[in-house]
Amino acid sequence: MKSIISNEKICLVCSTPYALHRHHVFEGTGKRSQSEKYGCWCYLCGVHHNLSNAGVHFNKKLDLELKQMTQKKFMEVYPNLDFIKIFGKSYLWGSIWEIK
């Protein structure tokens, strides 16, 4: 599945075309496969993925921004699907929307 958040093979953060990693925005039990299925992934360079403290796996602010951007795009691309049912919670409105 193509990415719904980026059409280019460059780092989404810094735009470098080098040393790219494929990052699945929503992780955890079943969420990685859902990210793949619905195109909720992007390319990140190693620095912005997991090779430094600036990477999405260590930088909570960057992680949340990427999740929010992807959720908004998901809701545009798939208006008839329920994001919360698929991914377990909304990253836009907080944990009050989590599914138990």
Side-chain angles (χ1 to χ4, degrees), residues 24-34:
H24 294 85
V25 177
F26 305 106
E27 71 288 330
T29 306
K31 293 181 187 171
R32 182 182 168 109
S33 62
Q34 295 295 67

Short mmCIF file of all heavy atoms in Angstrom, two decimals, residues 24-34:
data_model
loop_
_atom_site.label_atom_id
_atom_site.label_comp_id
_atom_site.label_asym_id
_atom_site.label_seq_id
_atom_site.Cartn_x
_atom_site.Cartn_y
_atom_site.Cartn_z
N HIS A 24 6.35 2.81 10.42
CA HIS A 24 4.91 2.61 10.57
C HIS A 24 4.46 3.51 11.72
O HIS A 24 4.91 3.36 12.85
CB HIS A 24 4.61 1.14 10.85
CG HIS A 24 4.93 0.27 9.68
ND1 HIS A 24 6.19 -0.22 9.46
CD2 HIS A 24 4.16 -0.16 8.65
CE1 HIS A 24 6.20 -0.93 8.34
NE2 HIS A 24 4.97 -0.90 7.83
N VAL A 25 3.58 4.44 11.43
CA VAL A 25 3.21 5.49 12.38
C VAL A 25 2.56 4.91 13.63
O VAL A 25 2.85 5.35 14.74
CB VAL A 25 2.31 6.54 11.71
CG1 VAL A 25 1.86 7.59 12.71
CG2 VAL A 25 3.04 7.20 10.55
N PHE A 26 1.68 3.95 13.47
CA PHE A 26 0.98 3.37 14.61
C PHE A 26 1.57 1.99 14.88
O PHE A 26 1.54 1.11 14.02
CB PHE A 26 -0.52 3.31 14.34
CG PHE A 26 -1.08 4.65 13.98
CD1 PHE A 26 -1.44 4.93 12.67
CD2 PHE A 26 -1.20 5.65 14.92
CE1 PHE A 26 -1.94 6.17 12.31
CE2 PHE A 26 -1.68 6.91 14.58
CZ PHE A 26 -2.06 7.17 13.27
N GLU A 27 2.11 1.81 16.09
CA GLU A 27 2.80 0.58 16.45
C GLU A 27 2.03 -0.15 17.54
O GLU A 27 1.06 0.35 18.08
CB GLU A 27 4.23 0.90 16.92
CG GLU A 27 4.32 1.58 18.27
CD GLU A 27 3.87 3.02 18.31
OE1 GLU A 27 3.98 3.75 17.32
OE2 GLU A 27 3.38 3.42 19.39
N GLY A 28 2.50 -1.33 17.83
CA GLY A 28 1.87 -2.13 18.88
C GLY A 28 1.07 -3.28 18.28
O GLY A 28 1.02 -3.45 17.06
N THR A 29 0.45 -4.04 19.14
CA THR A 29 -0.28 -5.24 18.74
C THR A 29 -1.29 -4.95 17.65
O THR A 29 -2.26 -4.23 17.86
CB THR A 29 -0.99 -5.87 19.96
OG1 THR A 29 -0.04 -6.08 20.99
CG2 THR A 29 -1.63 -7.19 19.59
N GLY A 30 -1.05 -5.47 16.47
CA GLY A 30 -1.96 -5.32 15.34
C GLY A 30 -1.93 -3.98 14.64
O GLY A 30 -2.42 -3.84 13.53
N LYS A 31 -1.37 -2.96 15.29
CA LYS A 31 -1.40 -1.62 14.71
C LYS A 31 -0.40 -1.46 13.57
O LYS A 31 -0.63 -0.71 12.64
CB LYS A 31 -1.19 -0.56 15.78
CG LYS A 31 -2.35 -0.47 16.75
CD LYS A 31 -2.11 0.61 17.78
CE LYS A 31 -3.18 0.56 18.85
NZ LYS A 31 -2.84 1.45 19.95
N ARG A 32 0.72 -2.16 13.66
CA ARG A 32 1.71 -2.07 12.58
C ARG A 32 1.11 -2.62 11.28
O ARG A 32 1.25 -2.01 10.22
CB ARG A 32 2.97 -2.81 12.96
CG ARG A 32 4.05 -2.72 11.90
CD ARG A 32 5.28 -3.53 12.30
NE ARG A 32 6.17 -3.65 11.18
CZ ARG A 32 7.34 -3.03 11.07
NH1 ARG A 32 7.77 -2.26 12.03
NH2 ARG A 32 8.08 -3.19 10.00
N SER A 33 0.42 -3.74 11.37
CA SER A 33 -0.20 -4.31 10.15
C SER A 33 -1.32 -3.41 9.64
O SER A 33 -1.51 -3.29 8.43
CB SER A 33 -0.69 -5.73 10.40
OG SER A 33 -1.69 -5.75 11.40
N GLN A 34 -2.04 -2.76 10.53
CA GLN A 34 -3.08 -1.83 10.12
C GLN A 34 -2.44 -0.59 9.48
O GLN A 34 -2.97 -0.05 8.50
CB GLN A 34 -3.97 -1.42 11.29
CG GLN A 34 -4.79 -2.57 11.87
CD GLN A 34 -5.81 -3.11 10.91
OE1 GLN A 34 -5.48 -3.70 9.88
NE2 GLN A 34 -7.07 -2.93 11.22
#
